[in-house]
Amino acid sequence: MRYIYGYFCLFLLLFCVGCEKSSDGPDDNGNPILKINTQEKLVSNTAGSFEIYITSNTLWKVESKNSWLTPEKSEGQGDLSVRIRYAESSSDKRTGIIRFIADGLNPVELTVIQTGLTFTNPIAGIPDPWVVKHEGFYYLCKADGNGINIAKSDKLSEFPHTRRVWNSPTDAGDNKPWNVSNIWAPELHRIDGKWYIYYTAGRPHAETNSYNFQRSGVLRAKTDDPMGEWEDMGMLYTGDNYRPDIVPSTDNTAYGIDLSVFQLNKKMYAVWSGYPEGSSEQNLYIATMSDPLTITSSRSVISSADKPWERHNSRINEGPAFLKNKEQGKFFVVYSCNGSWTKHYRLGYIMLGDTLANPTEPANWTKSANEVFYRNDDTSGANGVNGVGHCSFTKSPDGQEDWIVYHVKNRNDDGWSSGRSTFIQKFGWKSDGTPYFGTPAGWGEPLAIPSGESH
């Protein structure tokens, strides 16, 4: 990990918390509008300046809430740029506010973060990254060949090398376990005081000539230390014909990958990506659970690739992760769509607008109007951000910031050979209670370290 002290940068992060308060564009009815081109600015500790671009059709004023921030204009009219000067700082980090005001509109605020403490993405070369925070530490879980590895760190922006915690079983004569190969997308969860890993596995591709036999399984930690020993608790049921006495097997379940679990209103659910019968499209399915080891219903579809932005090259919904807005009573499944091997990979979400509603009923979910997180640098000869997806969510060390963990495709090459890398980025919330992820950070672009992180 690289901390950059005194880095002279004017970094633009499209972090649009509160930007919905301003108009989305010129108002044909003559109503006043006021917008700025970014809601957050990162600057170095050395003195300097930057410009903010204002879009408006009315009179506006600018005021600084902090003495170290000085606008060169105090007022203006229409579309203009305003230069903001900032003084030198000797502190690790400080935050200031510039406010833009117009009659009849809510104020629009610019947050300026001045810091000598930064990091750059990627923080690891891991696809499908899953990060969990527990008792002051972060745990990063990943597939590694035919096994699962975990790393432990007291920093979100920096992880040591991972360590193997579980090996898949091997064939022994006629005993051919279902989960010997193709370990994908493991997720570490702490549920009711115990640790679990949900993972995808199957038989060798050379044996089946297909990945259609991929299924979902669960491990349970033998102790309270996720870096310790684990035991395999078996396959989970992902089929259409559940009965209470069923024992999950490859024959009575359906293709099921990226399985994740959540609890809502004291009930537990599993969500995963699977095929409808007779099709290779990937939908998101949900089922009830009686405990972390047991699915207790047939699967129900809650999302399929039915929007143009989900169907650029394939019809795939996968990699579900969960967010809850407790204050506004909204619950989100954030998922990846399009092919993960292409530049079109991106995130969307479905929302349960009423957390008391039954999540197994498809009609209770509302899909985002468009993708909510996407970038394509279109680089083939150098590393860049060429599609993003398969995320997880966590908090900063002090619990004050929300962060998304995701992978980027390193190059636009329609394959996985160039690799996928782990990025992290702070995100915020709109006033309507939906998450705002902004624009994915660039490869090697400085970001302020997570709030409360030591250095």
Side-chain angles (χ1 to χ4, degrees), residues 173 195 256 274 279 328 339 353:
W195 290 102
S279 172
Q328 299 206 23

Side-chain angles (χ1 to χ4, degrees), residues 142-149 162-164 166-167 183-184 186:
K142 75 162 190 173
D144 184 57
N146 289 336
I148 294 173
N149 289 19
T162 61
R163 185 166 65 83
R164 180 65 61 93
W166 179 77
N167 288 300
I183 310 299
W184 295 349

Side-chain angles (χ1 to χ4, degrees), residues 89-164:
S89 174
S90 59
S91 64
D92 288 342
K93 181 179 178 181
R94 63 180 176 180
T95 301
I97 299 293
I98 299 290
R99 179 173 288 185
F100 299 81
I101 303 167
D103 289 342
L105 295 171
N106 291 332
V108 178
E109 291 188 345
L110 166 70
T111 300
V112 182
I113 299 173
Q114 187 175 37
T115 181
L117 302 177
T118 63
F119 75 97
T120 59
N121 284 309
I123 64 166
I126 297 172
D128 306 337
W130 189 267
V131 172
V132 172
K133 182 185 178 187
H134 178 65
E135 294 184 344
F137 290 96
Y138 294 93
Y139 296 91
L140 172 63
C141 188
K142 75 162 190 173
D144 184 57
N146 289 336
I148 294 173
N149 289 19
I150 296 177
K152 179 181 180 180
S153 175
D154 60 356
K155 297 180 176 66
L156 176 56
S157 67
E158 182 177 355
F159 281 90
H161 291 299
T162 61
R163 185 166 65 83
R164 180 65 61 93

